[in-house]
Amino acid sequence: MEANVISLYPEYQVTIEQAEKLLSLQREILEQVALNVDYREILDALCKAAEQIVSNAVASIMVYDETGEALDVLAAPSIPPEAVARLNGLVPSERAGSCGTAVYHNEAQYVANTKNDYRWFDLHAFAHDFSIGACWSSPIKIEKDKAIGSFALSSFEERTPSTFYKQLLETCAHIAGILIVKQKREESLWSLGRYDALTGLVNRNLFKQKLSTAIDYAITRRQPMELLVLDLDGFKDVNASQGHEIGDQVLQQVAKNIQGLFFDGSYVVSRLDGDKFAILTANSRAALSVQLRIGKILALFKKKIHVESHEFNLSVSIGVSLFPEDGVTASDFLRNADTAMHAAKKAGGGCARFYNESLTNSVKYKMDLITDMRAALARGDFVLHYQPQYCQKTNKLAGVEALVRWQHPEKGLIPPNDFIPFAEESGFIEALGLWVFTEACRQCKTWWDSGIPEFSLAINLSVKQLEGDNIQKFQEILLAMKFPIHNLELEVTESLIMHQQGLAELHKLDALGIRISMDDFGTGYSSLAQLKSLPISKLKIDRSFVKDLSADENDRIIAKTIIAMGHSLGLIVVAEGVETVAQQAFLVQEGCDLIQGYLLSRPLTVAQFTALF
């Protein structure tokens, strides 16, 4: 901020003794400035020095707040905190006491009696509560004679200021103005030294400080971190063809776009120099999360950047280093990410490279997979298989579970465990889940309409599918195809069903007549008391407990307990992953209602399932 304090040269007649007091006050303040004392302490000292000269009075400094509409107390060492609290937010006007009026009229106000002066009309209660008999205030002026605040002396007795006191008041206001302007300039310089002037992002110096601090913290807490260095591809051509002014605007837009992706406190975004940026993520590194962040950045640069009447297609090269594998000092960590970024440049740009080459290959595979998933849905590469569930009392088909498979044109059949986690974290699961729901309901309705006896259809539900308007979409789909809702059940994991937000949505599904099945039961933290209040009709014993039923006594006890617990609550119990006759025999003996697994049937294609009838 560039501002000049307006010097005041009042032609007051003061004695030599009084002049000496003014000079002494100025020397005292200048000494503290020279010693680099905190400016708030200096302002307090200024107030106290004035109070020593004017007996039975207190001094205060008020300045405009950030809104520029109201005044707040900046310094008032002798005024009670409760009085300061009541003064804060004072809006300048003709009846805003001495200070508010001084700022409003931009000239000193000398109120000798606060009780009967119109300028104190709105502050009578304040004057009474804090025994203010008189108050004199001088505006603090800066550039263009504009008042930014006031310096005031409030007396506990009614009195008119002497010529000397007026001189003191204006001298203190002048000094306060110098100190405030000096502080604002220092803050501006401090900001310039730590933040990039063009984009407002953290600059290289501050970023390295934050990086060092984050590393120290990560070492103490044994927490992982990731560092991404981004460099724009072809930015030199922008400067060469359109000039640096347009180039600067492009950088500003890029910075804004990146900040839009990484805006919360867990990220530090910096412009290191030129067209190079850095993103530090602390305590948030899972392999998939890193890849998804990279994917978001690459997708961001697929959009055109608009500056004035120009459009620019820019790509970005990304280098990634991971802590602590790729460096335990700020210099090493940053250098290795930079090295990886240059490797991305050499690969042609528009891509990411890890400092560890094996991770680069891994992330490329997974990012390709995420990209392929969206195209696969449009191409019709996803298919559904149906695994039968059999009733152990009648040995008849009781239901099927719809299971999605990905028939990739190059990689072949990709199992769910290889792509569902990516679909979950990338947000693709919502579109995929809606397709599974629609297709499974459509196929079952086709079977039943052809004369195949009705059975229960189970569809897995992701937590992401409980967000937005998916429940309404489910209802619309079911109504449109006249699907018998009593045949539908949605399978949710134990962790999802125990989540409060998810629980509320599940109650909505239950209200529609859709049954809820708790999948993978026994792996979470459900209690009998919690199960009583859940909108579920079926429990599925997790396959991890079924696998070793023949050899592990603990698994037999767990399975037996789950069956008994489910039945006590009136729930149907299903065992999944049944592969041996011994497993089936134990489950039948304990009263398990339904069996699902390779022993009775693998997941079947539509044609294979149709052939059963």
Side-chain angles (χ1 to χ4, degrees), residues 235-265:
F235 179 72
K236 290 181 179 179
D237 294 337
V238 175
N239 278 336
S241 62
Q242 303 298 332
H244 288 278
E245 184 176 342
I246 294 295
D248 286 349
Q249 292 183 53
V250 170
L251 291 175
Q252 288 172 332
Q253 187 61 51
V254 167
K256 182 179 179 181
N257 293 345
I258 294 174
Q259 280 185 299
L261 288 180
F262 307 102
F263 56 87
D264 64 46

Side-chain angles (χ1 to χ4, degrees), residues 363-377:
V363 74
K364 185 177 186 305
Y365 171 78
K366 291 170 182 175
M367 290 307 302
D368 287 346
L369 210 60
I370 291 172
T371 302
D372 284 353
M373 277 193 295
R374 299 187 184 279
L377 187 58

